[in-house]
Amino acid sequence: VSFLFPGLAYMPGDSHYHIQGTDETTSLKGSDDTQDQLELKVTRKKRWAVNICFLTIGMGASVTWYAVTFAISFFMVEFASLSLSDYFWTFFLLAYDLPGLPIQIIQYYTFVHRKERETTSDERQQYFLPCIVCYILLATILVTFPLVFLISLSVQIIFSISLGFTFFIGIIQGRLFGKIFQLASLFSPEHYSSIPSCMAGVGISTIVLLVVTISEQFNGTTADAVEVVIYFAPLSSIPLLSILSIIYVVRCNNEISQKQEDLSSAHAQNTNLCRAVSSNFLLRKHVQSPLLPEKVGNGLEAPEKPMEEKSKASLFHTVRVPCFSAFLVGLGYVLLNACFPYLGEAIDNDFYVTVAVYLQAIFYFVGNETVAFRQVINTDRALFVSTIIQSVLFIPIFISPLYAAWDPYNIISYAFIILYTFIGSYLNSCSYVIAASAVGQEKKSTAVALLNIYLYLGYTGGLAASVILSFF
């Protein structure tokens, strides 16, 4: 108010407005009291409930693909007779990763150009229904995909069907990832850890699969089709559990939106009262209104650029560093996964790939979830420097075969994998939180959608680099 009316000053703490140069004070207690009442309703129990729900949401979004990766040894045996069997995993990665970037671009421009509505029905159309459909499809794939290997078909046909399932998983997850992170961005990082929890859920799904693998004593190399069906089927309950979490967080978001509308209404009433008080003061003092247009150069008024146009033009500029970080982290993540088989062969260690994948899965979860408890990267400068340092850590992993002779247990390589994965997942969560915090409430989902594009652009870049490396 003091910006619009220099004669009127707001004194925080007692919800009073004071007219400068006089002893007149106007009491406006409604605004702060309303805000306090609304903030008191964000209890610790509700915070934990929302964070756990987003953890489950992330698990359901990623468990289908990770189930395929954990059964990679089964596919290696099944497709060993193919002429391109050495590159079958490259084909799987291409089928899974390629749809992601186009899906994110389409979702971004669809989201930006859609007509803004702030109703419950719109929330259901925007997040509720698409997410539920995607989770149902992922659960269905977990049940039907392994059934293909029970049918008496040629290896070429089964391989083609498997690629089709993998491509379909990539489309669904690309669609789902865009929605769940946009939904997570709507929850204030001051009260909730929705984005780190959602990303941690993506990592913890690998730990769940590890537990299932150990409990069922699943060995893909010796498993038959029936054992694969039994291995995949229980995992279908995780996407179904995510549906319940989506229902809860969408309901919570609707409640928060209603509270914000109530708060905005209270603030608007107080603002109108302040303007009335200021007008009366200015009339009594016979002073000129301070709200005169600014003059530039030859005395002409400076044209005012619409706020909406300014916001659109400055969105990328505001989140450019988080976008850069998401791109490099995504590129390194896919490239590291693609390098594991070649590193294991070069090191001549039969257990290197298995240990490396498990370490990556565990510390991917730890890094994301650590942000929920302690975030030390809060600025663009810190994020940029940390991302460069994290990228450099890939070099000692890539050259690990050079020092494997005097490191027979690969402890140094494993240590760098842990450090690289932990810092990368930590920075990825920080980039999303920083981007969502740098813009207004109405732009949070758009900023996250833009980050998703750069994250998947990094995935695509890492995939392209891995394909090139596979031919050497």
Side-chain angles (χ1 to χ4, degrees), residues 200-270:
V202 175
I204 202 174
S205 60
T206 59
I207 300 178
V208 172
L209 279 161
L210 178 59
V211 173
V212 173
T213 302
I214 295 174
S215 61
E216 293 187 5
Q217 297 182 348
F218 177 78
N219 185 353
T221 305
T222 59
D224 56 20
V226 176
E227 292 176 326
V228 174
V229 172
I230 297 174
Y231 177 69
F232 274 55
L235 299 173
S236 61
S237 61
I238 298 179
L240 298 179
L241 183 62
S242 300
I243 293 177
L244 300 178
S245 299
I246 284 288
I247 295 173
Y248 179 79
V249 297
V250 168
R251 188 183 68 178
C252 288
N253 182 53
N254 292 335
E255 292 176 357
I256 294 172
S257 299
Q258 185 61 47
K259 292 176 182 179
Q260 290 174 342
E261 290 178 4
D262 295 341
L263 184 59
S264 299
S265 177
H267 282 188
Q269 293 176 2
N270 290 338

Side-chain angles (χ1 to χ4, degrees), residues 150-172:
L150 294 175
I151 306 174
S152 298
L153 297 172
S154 65
V155 177
Q156 290 79 7
I157 295 177
I158 293 179
F159 180 71
S160 301
I161 295 175
S162 300
L163 285 180
F165 270 107
T166 306
F167 184 76
F168 197 39
I169 293 172
I171 293 176
I172 297 172

Side-chain angles (χ1 to χ4, degrees), residues 116-130:
E116 294 289 341
R117 300 186 187 93
E118 296 183 358
T119 61
T120 304
S121 59
D122 182 65
E123 293 295 333
R124 289 174 179 170
Q125 293 175 6
Q126 187 67 19
Y127 301 110
F128 183 76
L129 294 178

Side-chain angles (χ1 to χ4, degrees), residues 18 44 82 92 131 223 296 319 352 422 451 462:
H18 177 67
R44 177 176 296 182
L82 290 173
F92 267 51
C131 289
V296 294
V319 300
Y352 179 84
F422 175 82
L451 250 70

Side-chain angles (χ1 to χ4, degrees), residues 147-387:
L147 295 178
V148 175
F149 297 92
L150 294 175
I151 306 174
S152 298
L153 297 172
S154 65
V155 177
Q156 290 79 7
I157 295 177
I158 293 179
F159 180 71
S160 301
I161 295 175
S162 300
L163 285 180
F165 270 107
T166 306
F167 184 76
F168 197 39
I169 293 172
I171 293 176
I172 297 172
Q173 285 195 355
R175 168 76 168 165
L176 188 58
F177 276 22
K179 291 298 180 183
I180 61 178
F181 286 114
Q182 286 178 355
L183 179 60
S185 69
L186 299 179
F187 290 82
S188 171
E190 296 180 2
H191 302 299
Y192 304 95
S193 299
S194 52
I195 293 178
S197 296
C198 195
M199 289 190 171
V202 175
I204 202 174
S205 60
T206 59
I207 300 178
V208 172
L209 279 161
L210 178 59
V211 173
V212 173
T213 302
I214 295 174
S215 61
E216 293 187 5
Q217 297 182 348
F218 177 78
N219 185 353
T221 305
T222 59
D224 56 20
V226 176
E227 292 176 326
V228 174
V229 172
I230 297 174
Y231 177 69
F232 274 55
L235 299 173
S236 61
S237 61
I238 298 179
L240 298 179
L241 183 62
S242 300
I243 293 177
L244 300 178
S245 299
I246 284 288
I247 295 173
Y248 179 79
V249 297
V250 168
R251 188 183 68 178
C252 288
N253 182 53
N254 292 335
E255 292 176 357
I256 294 172
S257 299
Q258 185 61 47
K259 292 176 182 179
Q260 290 174 342
E261 290 178 4
D262 295 341
L263 184 59
S264 299
S265 177
H267 282 188
Q269 293 176 2
N270 290 338
T271 301
N272 292 334
L273 180 57
C274 294
R275 289 175 177 173
V277 172
S278 177
S279 298
N280 291 334
F281 169 74
L282 295 174
L283 287 174
R284 287 201 309 271
K285 297 295 183 180
H286 303 285
V287 296
Q288 187 178 3
S289 172
L291 297 177
L292 292 177
E294 294 183 3
K295 305 293 182 179
V296 294
N298 56 3
L300 298 176
E301 295 184 9
E304 183 75 17
K305 194 173 182 180
M307 184 61 66
E308 183 179 355
E309 187 178 347
K310 284 183 181 181
S311 179
K312 288 182 180 179
S314 62
L315 177 61
F316 174 75
H317 183 269
T318 303
V319 300
R320 65 188 186 282
V321 174
C323 287
F324 170 78
S325 178
F327 169 77
L328 279 188
V329 170
L331 187 149
Y333 179 77
V334 174
L335 186 58
L336 181 62
N337 273 284
C339 286
F340 282 155
Y342 306 107
L343 292 176
E345 183 178 352
I347 293 174
D348 194 20
N349 185 339
D350 295 336
F351 301 101
Y352 179 84
V353 177
T354 302
V355 175
V357 169
Y358 287 161
L359 287 176
Q360 186 189 40
I362 293 172
F363 285 92
Y364 184 84
F365 160 72
V366 174
N368 282 307
E369 192 61 21
T370 301
V371 181
F373 295 96
R374 182 66 176 176
Q375 182 179 345
V376 296
I377 307 295
N378 298 298
T379 64
D380 285 351
R381 182 185 296 273
L383 181 63
F384 179 81
V385 174
S386 301
T387 302

